[in-house]
Amino acid sequence: AYGLHLDRAELSLKTSLDARHGAQGWQLGAQGGLDLNSLALMQVRRVDGKAVVGEDLLSWQGMKLEDFKFSLAPAATPRLDVGTLTLDDAYARLIVDAQGRLNLRDLGPARPESAASAASAASPAPDAPLPVRVAIRQTRINQGLVDFNDRFIKPNYSARLSELQGSLG
């Protein structure tokens, strides 16, 4: 398992918030826009029992969630609906290891070895549903870059996908 190190991030939030307490408990709603800019996540790995910050894993200059709505209610799965998600100057390092596992699959906070093994025993099943329902109507990518390495196949394969541009609906 690998850990994450947040090198930097800037958050800007413009939203309206609605909180209510009813017979069944608290209900929370939020809607508006969110910018998460200058994000840099680094991969942390263990070397001789010590956490060492390694390579860039995921970064972008700008991520914008436009027209988002978030709702939280008792006995209901939290829900996030996003009108448009835009990523500017995004970078991702994707690695399939020798066992065929994607590096993003096991990411989490960096922990000591003993805590990491205890946490993996208590982690949810791989097919467990996300703790929040997410719907995104449109995604735009401007100037994306992906470094991909497949160490599972022989001979190993690597590719650099650059100048990714486009949208998904």
Side-chain angles (χ1 to χ4, degrees), residues 5 8 19-20 34 62 64 69 71 86 90 101 105 107 111 113 119 124 137 153 160 169:
H5 171 77
R8 70 177 181 273
R20 298 177 188 185
L34 179 142
K64 182 177 289 222
K69 294 178 182 149
S71 61
T86 304
R101 293 178 60 90
R105 184 175 175 167
L107 291 175
R111 300 185 281 273
E113 283 295 325
R137 284 188 300 229
I153 62 170
R160 178 168 246 203

Side-chain angles (χ1 to χ4, degrees), residues 121-143:
S123 64
D127 296 328
L130 285 175
V132 63
R133 288 184 133 172
V134 177
I136 301 172
R137 284 188 300 229
Q138 183 169 30
T139 301
R140 293 185 185 136
I141 298 174
N142 299 315
Q143 295 302 314

Side-chain angles (χ1 to χ4, degrees), residues 88-157:
D88 292 318
D89 295 318
Y91 170 81
R93 180 180 309 278
L94 302 177
I95 300 170
V96 177
D97 68 14
Q99 289 72 41
R101 293 178 60 90
L102 186 63
N103 64 330
L104 300 180
R105 184 175 175 167
D106 295 326
L107 291 175
R111 300 185 281 273
E113 283 295 325
S114 59
S117 60
S120 64
S123 64
D127 296 328
L130 285 175
V132 63
R133 288 184 133 172
V134 177
I136 301 172
R137 284 188 300 229
Q138 183 169 30
T139 301
R140 293 185 185 136
I141 298 174
N142 299 315
Q143 295 302 314
L145 174 66
V146 175
D147 277 330
F148 177 77
N149 282 287
D150 191 332
R151 298 175 184 161
F152 183 66
I153 62 170
K154 301 292 183 211
N156 295 156
Y157 172 77

